[in-house]
């Protein structure tokens, strides 16, 4: 795959035009979508089934606005607060969590039309309980404001002791880098038109146990009545530490997504599983790879690293799809210490993560919602699938897609004009006798593709069924 991608890049350069290549990201487990030929920006890009995946020139323009110099400046500013511990004095104007909060709020408020607020919650895990704040910027959709895509990352830092609010905690990578991504995404996306609303969040209290994100995830239906969170994209430690990530790693990122049940303490999950978060992982692989082909996704089939956590987890616990973006190799000596310094981060890497998040978030927010009531019957050799038109978005057609139970990603897309289909296994790209997962997505006239309907159906020689436990999306192992 890598060799073929290099050949395609060489072809594009030789033609001397402006090209976009859809390399739907290669993956460490060798289960990856197809590499396809380069095409002009805005033109359809063919996947293995010759179904067009169309890049949106407006989204491409959003990516081009991303600025690594601005990201560097923002990380340096956050470092200069000395500590951003949620246990620090929030009343100070130049140091501590309160000063950082106010600076982030000012940056977001400067975006015309953004509805910015501080979400107050009770901060635990410090010497005393006190009010702390998540910083929220809301960009509502004029068409379907109840659809919500959340882009977040925490802004608090910590020294060695989790309750120490006075020692130096510069937090350049953890958490300056992810805060810079949230700011960069908001800068690129606020003011644009989307079918779904966007919520940009800088969380506090992450280091004391995901306190700020847990409070927001539980209250989101109150803050935004009727809201349906379709995706939570969490960034955490996305600075590209230069001491542990070589040139190859600087073009990679890990993406954590749990199955059902959610893998918390046990070993990694398997491809023979399904969950809303795994569906979001596949969306990142397809559309993140389409817009930012330079970056390779390393899918991690669990909720987070063993014994660690991130702000996507409280959202998953509420039943919302969530994933975590993180650099390939962490330098533990630079985490939760005075050595988490700016000179170790790579702003160009963080800019690429920002481009991925913008591409995925914008693609989700411009697409229809997923088809409803997806159902299957028959068997792998002769399946019958039905579904209901999505609740929002203007659907031009649908695509069915399948993956062997040994792979993460769909092999090809089969177009459908009605809400029922009976594709053969071979039409889905599956060899006879091989069990597979299958689902359907909605596509609008501009080529924006929804998330695939959940749950996927698992088809084998005997039947097509919803896998046992697939509907209990908050269960843990």
């Amino acid at each position: 795959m890598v060799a073929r991608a290099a050949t395609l890049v060489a072809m594009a350069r030789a033609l001397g035009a402006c090209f976009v290549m859809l390399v739907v990201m290669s993956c460490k487990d060798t289960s990856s979508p197809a590499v396809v030929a380069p095409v002009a920006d805005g033109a359809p890009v063919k996947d293995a089934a010759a179904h067009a995946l169309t890049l949106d020139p407006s989204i491409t323009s959003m990516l081009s606005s991303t600025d690594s110099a601005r990201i560097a400046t923002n990380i340096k500013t956050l470092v200069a607060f000395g500590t951003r511990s949620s246990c620090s004095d929030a009343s100070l104007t130049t140091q501590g969590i309160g000063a950082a909060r106010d600076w982030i709020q000012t940056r977001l408020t400067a975006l015309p039309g953004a509805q910015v607020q501080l979400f107050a919650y009770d901060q635990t895990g410090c010497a005393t309980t006190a009010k702390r704040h998540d910083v929220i910027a809301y960009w509502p959709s004029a068409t379907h404001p109840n659809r919500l895509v959340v882009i977040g990352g925490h802004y608090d830092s910590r020294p060695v002791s989790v309750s120490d609010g006075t020692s130096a905690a510069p937090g350049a990578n953890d958490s300056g880098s992810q805060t810079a991504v949230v700011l960069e995404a908001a800068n690129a996306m606020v003011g644009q038109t989307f079918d779904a609303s966007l919520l940009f969040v800088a969380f506090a209290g992450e280091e004391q146990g995901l306190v700020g994100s847990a409070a927001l995830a539980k209250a989101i239906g109150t803050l935004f009545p009727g809201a349906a969170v379709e995706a939570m994209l969490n960034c955490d430690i996305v600075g590209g530490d230069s001491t542990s990530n070589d040139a190859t790693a600087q073009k990679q990122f890990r993406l954590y997504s749990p199955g059902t049940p959610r893998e918390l303490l046990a070993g990694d999950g398997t491809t023979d599983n399904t969950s809303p978060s795994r569906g979001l992982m596949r969306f990142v692989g397809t559309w993140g790879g389409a817009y930012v082909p330079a970056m390779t996704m390393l899918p991690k089939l669990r909720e987070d690293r063993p014994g660690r956590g991130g702000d996507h987890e409280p959202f998953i616990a509420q039943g919302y799809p969530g994933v975590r973006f993180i650099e390939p190799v962490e330098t533990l000596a630079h985490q939760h210490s005075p050595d988490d310094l700016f000179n170790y981060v790579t702003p160009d890497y963080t800019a690429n993560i920002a481009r991925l998040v913008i591409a995925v978030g914008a693609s989700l927010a411009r697409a229809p919602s997923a088809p409803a009531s997806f159902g299957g019957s028959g068997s792998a050799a002769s399946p019958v699938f039905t579904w209901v038109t999505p609740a929002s978005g203007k659907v031009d057609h649908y695509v069915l897609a399948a993956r062997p139970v040994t792979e993460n990603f769909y092999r090809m897309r089969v177009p459908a004009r009605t809400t029922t289909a009976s594709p053969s296994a071979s039409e889905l790209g599956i060899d006879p006798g091989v069990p597979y997962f299958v689902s359907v997505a909605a596509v609008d006239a501009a080529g924006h593709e929804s998330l695939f309907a959940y749950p996927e159906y698992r088809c084998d020689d005997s039947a097509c069924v919803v896998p046992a436990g697939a509907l209990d999306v908050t269960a843990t192992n």
Side-chain angles (χ1 to χ4, degrees):
M1 174 176 283
V2 173
R4 185 180 175 192
T7 300
L8 291 173
V9 172
M11 289 169 57
R13 289 173 176 167
L15 289 171
C18 178
F19 286 93
V20 174
M21 180 175 65
L22 174 55
V23 182
V24 188
M25 290 177 258
S26 61
C27 301
K28 188 176 182 181
D29 64 358
T30 73
S31 168
S32 62
V35 178
V36 296
V39 297
D41 189 9
V45 187
K46 303 292 185 178
D47 71 2
H51 175 72
L53 296 177
T54 306
L55 300 188
D56 182 337
S58 174
I59 295 177
T60 302
S61 179
M62 294 180 213
L63 306 188
S64 67
S65 71
T66 304
D67 186 352
S68 59
R70 182 168 55 229
I71 286 171
T73 297
N74 287 341
I75 295 174
K76 288 178 181 178
T77 299
L78 289 161
V79 167
F81 290 113
T83 179
R84 302 185 305 282
S85 168
S86 295
C87 299
S88 63
D89 187 343
S91 67
L92 303 178
T93 58
T94 61
Q95 299 281 290
I97 190 72
R101 172 202 64 206
D102 294 346
W103 178 80
I104 295 168
Q105 183 181 21
T106 298
R107 292 300 308 273
L108 292 172
T109 302
L111 301 174
Q115 298 179 18
V116 181
Q117 63 175 294
L118 298 179
F119 173 71
Y121 67 91
D122 291 327
Q123 177 64 48
T124 57
C126 303
T128 59
T129 299
K131 290 293 182 184
R132 293 293 182 262
H133 301 87
D134 299 331
V135 188
I136 298 173
Y138 176 57
W139 179 243
S141 165
T143 51
H144 295 99
N146 290 346
R147 296 180 61 196
L148 199 58
V149 175
V150 181
I151 295 173
H154 72 94
Y155 70 97
D156 61 309
S157 63
R158 58 166 282 193
V160 175
S161 172
V162 70
S163 60
D164 182 350
T166 58
S167 298
N173 196 350
D174 184 19
S175 59
S177 65
Q178 56 257 32
T179 307
V181 168
V182 172
L183 292 173
E184 202 67 17
N187 184 73
M189 300 171 77
V190 168
Q192 303 290 334
T193 301
F194 299 101
D195 191 70
S197 299
L198 297 167
L199 194 65
F200 305 92
V201 188
F203 299 105
E206 192 270 354
E207 298 292 5
Q208 287 73 34
L210 317 178
V211 186
S213 55
L216 180 62
K218 291 177 182 177
I220 206 159
T222 301
L223 287 174
F224 305 97
V229 177
E230 297 190 2
M232 195 284 168
L233 307 174
N234 179 44
C235 293
D236 198 344
I237 311 179
V238 289
D241 191 301
S242 60
T243 67
S244 55
N245 293 281
D246 61 15
T248 298
Q250 293 284 346
K251 297 297 183 181
Q252 300 172 333
F253 66 99
R254 288 178 288 169
L255 192 87
Y256 281 88
S257 63
T260 50
R262 298 151 54 201
E263 302 88 357
L264 298 183
L265 301 178
D268 289 0
T270 72
T271 57
D272 194 358
N273 198 338
T274 187
S275 74
S277 295
R278 294 281 174 84
L280 181 55
M281 174 200 72
R282 280 183 281 276
F283 194 97
V284 173
T286 300
W287 293 102
Y291 285 100
V292 194
M295 297 297 286
T296 298
M297 185 173 78
L298 308 177
K300 299 299 179 183
L301 305 184
R302 57 177 300 115
E303 190 153 296
D304 211 317
R305 301 98 77 219
R308 305 290 295 274
D311 290 312
H312 57 303
E313 294 186 90
F315 286 85
I316 297 171
Q318 294 297 315
Y320 307 130
V323 294
R324 175 184 181 150
F325 294 77
I326 183 173
E327 65 189 14
V329 183
E330 298 170 73
T331 305
L332 296 181
H334 295 165
Q335 292 180 17
H336 307 163
S337 83
D339 293 324
D340 188 355
L341 302 171
F342 174 79
N343 55 292
Y344 297 127
V345 301
T346 309
D348 286 344
Y349 178 86
T350 306
N352 273 334
I353 297 296
R355 293 181 186 105
L356 285 164
V357 170
I358 294 165
V360 172
S363 296
L364 282 166
R366 286 206 167 152
S369 55
S373 303
F374 181 58
S377 60
S379 65
S382 56
V384 177
F385 303 111
T386 61
W387 58 92
V388 174
T389 302
S392 65
K394 296 180 179 180
V395 179
D396 177 76
H397 64 279
Y398 302 94
V399 289
L400 287 100
R403 60 184 179 91
V405 298
T406 56
E407 297 180 9
N408 277 318
F409 296 97
Y410 296 133
R411 286 192 166 183
M412 57 177 59
R413 282 157 166 73
V414 178
R417 290 289 176 182
T418 64
T419 56
T420 184
S422 301
S424 66
S426 61
E427 287 173 329
L428 292 166
I430 307 297
D431 294 332
V434 174
Y436 60 86
F437 286 95
V438 62
S439 187
V440 64
V443 185
D444 69 11
H448 302 114
E449 183 182 274
S450 75
L451 288 166
F452 277 78
Y454 189 79
E456 295 177 295
Y457 269 67
R458 189 184 190 281
C459 296
D460 58 23
D461 288 339
S462 62
C464 289
V465 299
V466 174
L471 298 181
D472 192 357
V473 299
T474 63
T476 61
N477 63 8

